[in-house]
Amino acid sequence: MTAADRLRARLAAGGILSAPGAPDSLAARLVERAGFEAIYMTGFGATASRLGRPDIGLLTQTEMTTHARDMVRAVTIPIIADADTGYGGPANIARTMEEYAQAGVAAVHLEDQVAPKRCGQLAGIRLIDADEAARRLRCAIASRPAGGPLVIGRTDAMPAIGPDEAIRRALMYQDAGVDLVFVDGIKRIEEVEIVARRVPGPKVVSIVDGNETTALTARMLEQMGFAVVLYAVSMLFAASKAMAEALAVLKRDGTPAAAAGAMMTYAEFSGLVDLPRFQKLDEDYG
C-alpha cells in the first residue's frame, strides 16, 4: 500500500486524525515518536526552517518536494503536505502531483490564492476566480499517478472575503472531486462552527496557536464532523522559544548548565536520530 492508500484506509475507519505540523525531518520523528498517526508538512514551517523567512511564497516546487521527500524518508507514518498554489499552470500542477507522489507523500492541499501565496493567517490575501480554482483542482486529480496523494481543496476565502464565500468555494471544490476540503485562515470558534454546520463530507480544520480556536479539543472537532485537524505551528513555536531561552542562558552565564534540565541528553538525542541502528551496521559489516 502507498502512503495515500494507508491514509485513505485510516480516514475510512472514522475518528478524527490529528496531524501536528513538523518544520523538518527531526520534528517529524518527534511527532511519530509521540504516537500521532500522521504529520503535516507545513509550508510555514518549511520556509522558516529552510530560509528563516516568512511564509510568503518564497520556496519553489523543487525545494518543497525535496523537503517532503526528506521528511517521508525519516518516518513511517503518512505525511500531509502543503503544495501551495501548485507552482504554475496546469502543466506545473501535473508535475507537482507527480513529484509529491514520487516523494511518497500521502496527501497534498492546493489553495486558491493568487501567486505568490502567503500564510492563511496573514492579511492581504488575494484569491483567484473560484471557477479557475476548481479547474486547477480537477487538473490535480486527473494528473496524479495511480496510488498518488489525496487532493485537499483549500480555500483562503474566510479571511479574505468572509464565511459565505468560503463555504461556496468549499462546496465547489467538493463538486470538483477533491478528497477533502479545507477552509483555512480560521481565527474564531464561530468560524469553525460555520464550516462544520454548512460543509458536509470529509473536511480539514487548522488550529493555530494564539487564537481562540485552541480551546477546541480534537474530540470536540470530531463531534463537529471534521476528519482531520492540523496543528501547523505548535511545534515550531515551542521549539523556537525553547532554543531562544537556552541561548539566553548561555549568553547570560557563559555556560548552558542552567538550561540542562530542559534539554535532551546526548543519549536521548542519539536514540531519536536512530544512531544505534547505524552503529549496529558498523559492528556487523564494518
Side-chain angles (χ1 to χ4, degrees), residues 2 64 97 99 118 141 198 218 220 273 281:
T2 66
M64 286 289 280
M97 295 304 298
E99 293 286 345
R118 58 176 54 208
I141 295 163
R198 295 175 59 185
M220 292 175 184
V273 296
L281 289 172

Side-chain angles (χ1 to χ4, degrees), residues 92-103:
N92 303 93
I93 293 170
R95 185 186 171 211
T96 294
M97 295 304 298
E98 292 166 1
E99 293 286 345
Y100 273 108
Q102 290 172 3

Side-chain angles (χ1 to χ4, degrees), residues 57-69:
L58 297 175
L59 287 183
T60 65
Q61 178 208 71
T62 305
E63 289 172 309
M64 286 289 280
T65 53
T66 297
H67 199 71
R69 187 173 289 107

Side-chain angles (χ1 to χ4, degrees), residues 1 26 50 61-63 77 81 99 135 142-143 157 163 190 194 197 208 211 217 225 231 236 241 250 267 284:
M1 293 177 72
L26 181 64
R50 292 179 73 90
Q61 178 208 71
T62 305
E63 289 172 309
I77 57 178
E99 293 286 345
R135 290 196 302 272
S143 57
E190 178 187 9
I194 289 170
R197 186 170 62 249
V208 176
N211 68 47
T217 65
Y231 298 95
L236 178 66
K241 183 172 183 180
L250 178 58
D284 291 347

Side-chain angles (χ1 to χ4, degrees), residues 34-47:
F36 288 93
E37 298 177 271
I39 297 162
Y40 176 43
M41 192 197 91
T42 153
F44 186 103
T47 307

Side-chain angles (χ1 to χ4, degrees), residues 113-130:
Q113 290 191 41
V114 172
K117 55 74 54 90
R118 58 176 54 208
C119 169
Q121 296 290 314
L122 295 176
I125 288 171
R126 295 179 300 139
L127 304 179
I128 64 172
D129 178 78

Side-chain angles (χ1 to χ4, degrees), residues 233-275:
V233 297
S234 300
M235 289 183 68
L236 178 66
F237 288 179
S240 296
K241 183 172 183 180
M243 288 189 284
E245 290 176 347
L247 287 166
V249 169
L250 178 58
K251 178 68 172 176
R252 182 194 69 212
D253 298 347
T255 171
M263 297 181 187
M264 281 188 174
T265 65
Y266 193 98
E268 289 169 338
F269 188 84
S270 295
L272 173 63
V273 296
D274 212 12
L275 177 62

